[in-house]
Amino acid sequence: MANIIDGKKISFEIKDEVKLQATELEKKGIQPCLAVILVGNDPASAVYVRNKKKACEYCNIKSLSYELEESTTEEELLELIDKLNNDKNCNGILVQLPLPSHIDENKVLLKILPEKDVDGFHPYNVGLLSIGKAVLKSCTPAGCIELLKRSGVEIEGKNCVVVGRSNIVGKPVGMLLTAENGTVTTCHSRTKNMVDFCRNADILVAAIGKPKYITGDMIKEGAVVIDVGINRGEDGKLCGDVDFESAEKKASFITPVPGGVGPMTIAMLMKNCVAACKSQNGL
Ligand code: NDP
């Protein structure tokens, strides 16, 4: 039976470290500040935003909240970002995605100053990530790496298979694993014989968005399994992209859903806020 990687516990370790750094900054008269912008009434987004505010409180990070009407125009949103870009007291800007369809997501993400892009989605930061020099790393992928490291899993020299190639998860996870000297294969919907790749993985990261898609028979005995997926199963319960029940019989380490990668995303966001604040203050 696999060791269960406790993402909740590890996320609190990180938040406690962030809180300590924020307290050190406070002694210098600086308080890190995150602006969170929500457009519209998507209930899931509202929950994410609430959780981000709660994490800020826990870490002693000031949070500014902008809850805008669904009818907000792209121009109005860009104006707000411009204002926050120019506000010296605001260190991080996060626009909760998805945005209403009349707003161009790409235009909005490009508007955020790279040094305030605490989600790590700006192409400039993605570029830095690809050359191993990013200060602000995309939160969920960075969270996956922290889970591995803090569980004592060595990445160097391992066969790492990432299923999924999205810009926000699959691609950056692959880049980070490469930076840690893993040998990375990326699979996607057009991959032929994906099962063979998966069965060869020492470290398997699933970021597909399909409930319980990766089953125990696709996993090598003793592999480490990181499940990024957040889905609703047929029973209506939250589940990952990995069939936990069969996978945990094969894996040496595995993340559960919920309680694995999920809590890490916000913890890494907090880490980015403090990193952004420090770098903007020349520290
Ligand atoms: P996307 O839909 O953007 O990407 C899914 C990827 O999976 C694509 O690259 C797609 O391939 C690939 N894929 C789809 N079907 C298959 C298949 N049958 N075989 C192989 N590959 C396949 O999703 P995201 O990357 O945004 O998210 C993935 C999952 O992670 C979702 O469940 C999401 O909810 C979750 N998530 C969790 C977060 C967290 O905080 N824990 C944060 C972000 C996401 P192709 O490119 O060819 O279409």
Side-chain angles (χ1 to χ4, degrees):
M1 278 299 205
N3 295 294
I4 312 293
I5 299 179
D6 187 344
K8 200 163 176 194
K9 180 166 162 267
I10 296 175
S11 76
F12 269 101
E13 279 171 27
I14 291 169
K15 283 190 280 187
D16 285 335
E17 291 163 15
V18 170
K19 190 177 183 172
L20 214 64
Q21 290 185 46
T23 309
E24 285 304 309
L25 285 170
E26 204 172 25
K27 289 181 194 155
K28 296 184 168 75
I30 302 166
Q31 188 184 24
C33 171
L34 170 69
V36 179
I37 305 172
L38 173 66
V39 187
N41 314 308
D42 179 46
S45 293
V47 173
Y48 290 138
V49 165
R50 208 177 315 131
N51 289 341
K52 283 165 190 171
K53 277 192 231 161
K54 253 169 62 184
C56 281
E57 266 169 44
Y58 184 87
C59 295
N60 198 10
I61 292 172
K62 185 178 172 188
S63 71
L64 304 173
S65 180
Y66 297 88
E67 289 172 20
L68 311 179
E69 300 280 325
E70 178 89 21
S71 58
T72 303
T73 64
E74 187 177 283
E75 204 185 352
E76 285 165 336
L77 180 57
L78 294 176
E79 261 171 36
L80 172 60
I81 294 171
D82 206 29
K83 191 183 111 198
L84 293 167
N85 278 341
N86 291 311
D87 179 352
K88 275 207 314 254
N89 295 318
C90 165
N91 309 112
I93 304 170
L94 183 146
V95 178
Q96 185 64 47
L97 302 178
L99 288 167
S101 55
H102 64 276
I103 300 179
D104 181 345
E105 207 165 280
N106 208 32
K107 225 175 181 178
V108 169
L109 296 181
L110 278 173
K111 186 74 177 174
I112 299 172
L113 275 182
E115 58 263 40
K116 297 195 177 188
D117 164 43
V118 282
D119 254 337
F121 290 163
H122 194 290
Y124 180 81
N125 287 322
V126 177
L128 287 179
L129 192 75
S130 75
I131 59 168
K133 299 224 181 299
V135 175
L136 301 176
K137 296 175 187 164
S138 177
C139 300
T140 304
C144 294
I145 303 297
E146 284 293 328
L147 286 177
L148 291 169
K149 286 188 173 174
R150 290 178 190 241
S151 305
V153 174
E154 186 150 359
I155 302 168
E156 182 161 331
K158 297 286 169 60
N159 276 338
C160 305
V161 174
V162 181
V163 189
R165 59 171 164 177
S166 72
N167 291 336
I168 60 163
V169 191
K171 277 185 203 144
V173 168
M175 289 195 264
L176 289 172
L177 288 167
T178 304
E180 297 292 335
N181 298 319
T183 304
V184 179
T185 306
T186 304
C187 297
H188 46 77
S189 67
R190 314 290 169 89
T191 301
K192 292 201 169 72
N193 306 321
M194 194 179 82
V195 175
D196 295 343
F197 289 106
C198 292
R199 282 192 189 137
N200 198 31
D202 302 313
I203 298 173
L204 181 63
V205 181
I208 314 166
K210 295 221 155 88
K212 304 184 184 183
Y213 193 79
I214 305 279
T215 46
D217 59 313
M218 296 164 76
I219 295 169
K220 183 165 93 175
E221 195 74 50
V224 177
V225 179
I226 303 291
D227 188 354
V228 184
I230 302 178
N231 314 293
R232 290 265 165 217
E234 279 168 11
D235 53 5
K237 284 191 189 149
L238 221 54
C239 70
D241 291 341
V242 176
D243 176 41
F244 186 85
E245 218 170 272
S246 60
E248 74 162 336
K249 295 191 176 95
K250 299 286 279 297
S252 57
F253 287 89
I254 188 166
T255 58
V257 178
V261 176
M264 293 299 289
T265 302
I266 291 188
M268 299 313 286
L269 172 70
M270 297 298 110
K271 196 174 173 185
N272 276 349
C273 287
V274 168
C277 173
K278 278 184 162 175
S279 116
Q280 285 160 34
N281 283 282
L283 297 168

